[in-house]
Amino acid sequence: MRYPLVELATAACFAAVAWHFGFGIQALLGCVFTAYLIALAGIDLDRQLLPDILTVPLVWTGLLASLWHAGGAVPPVSPRDALIGAAAGYLFLWAVFQLFRLATGKEGMGYGDFKLFAAAGAWLGWQMLPLVLLLAAVVGAVTGIALIVAKRLGRGVPIPFGPYLAGASWIAMLWGGPMMDAWLAAARLG
């Protein structure tokens, strides 16, 4: 049952990407990014692992895709924004990991999360990283709390963060621009 559902979800996501970007290099690159995100989310849900064999090539393909930057919409973003995004994505979650470990003596996330966030930065540019992190953190926290309240998950049981990063990255790829514009407009009014 799971296999056809994943295939159907992938086809629907590909259709949404093609609908959003039209047929061309942006849609092709968007589908590549989508396929990786779906695979990584599924693996992390099953194994609590984001394997280097997928995360590292995803970072590099995002950086290489930036060479086809035509200005404006994502993907791809400019090479400069992709490079800064990859570095900022990795380093930000690495710093959070280190601070959490210093404060609690525990590891709060895996190294694969750093690499997936770096890949999001490479594909979407550094400007989208706050949105991706906010979306992933909010949905992850709400889901975790709901699972604890429903007694389907015990306290202290790790929850994979990769699926939330993957979903937030996909949303940011398609609708991140308008979402960031709305966020910035609200911040100016407030």
Side-chain angles (χ1 to χ4, degrees):
M1 187 68 182
R2 181 177 175 185
Y3 178 76
L5 288 176
V6 170
E7 294 298 323
L8 186 61
T10 302
C13 289
F14 281 10
V17 168
W19 182 270
H20 183 80
F21 291 116
F23 292 98
I25 189 73
Q26 284 184 306
L28 175 64
L29 292 170
C31 287
V32 168
F33 188 48
T34 299
Y36 270 99
L37 293 175
I38 290 170
L40 286 164
I43 292 168
D44 203 20
L45 279 171
D46 279 351
R47 309 269 184 210
Q48 292 193 351
L49 174 73
L50 293 167
D52 285 352
I53 198 164
L54 294 176
T55 55
V56 173
L58 185 58
V59 173
W60 283 107
T61 54
L63 293 172
L64 290 172
S66 72
L67 298 176
W68 282 278
H69 175 64
V74 294
V77 298
S78 74
R80 180 181 182 273
D81 289 345
L83 187 58
I84 293 169
Y90 188 91
L91 291 173
F92 182 80
L93 284 189
W94 177 84
V96 169
F97 171 87
Q98 296 299 337
L99 291 171
F100 185 82
R101 191 170 68 168
L102 282 172
T104 66
K106 300 176 187 175
E107 293 184 357
M109 68 181 73
Y111 290 84
D113 295 319
F114 315 160
K115 295 169 197 161
L116 180 54
F117 200 43
W123 279 90
L124 306 173
W126 63 270
Q127 300 90 335
M128 287 294 166
L129 290 178
L131 176 64
V132 170
L133 189 59
L134 179 66
L135 289 172
V138 168
V139 173
V142 168
T143 302
I145 291 167
L147 288 172
I148 289 170
V149 169
K151 307 267 191 239
R152 299 184 111 193
L153 188 70
R155 288 194 122 147
V157 175
I159 299 171
F161 192 48
Y164 304 108
L165 282 174
S169 296
W170 191 77
I171 290 167
M173 176 181 66
L174 295 182
W175 302 290
M179 291 173 82
M180 288 295 289
D181 291 343
W183 187 0
L184 293 173
R188 278 187 230 118
L189 294 175

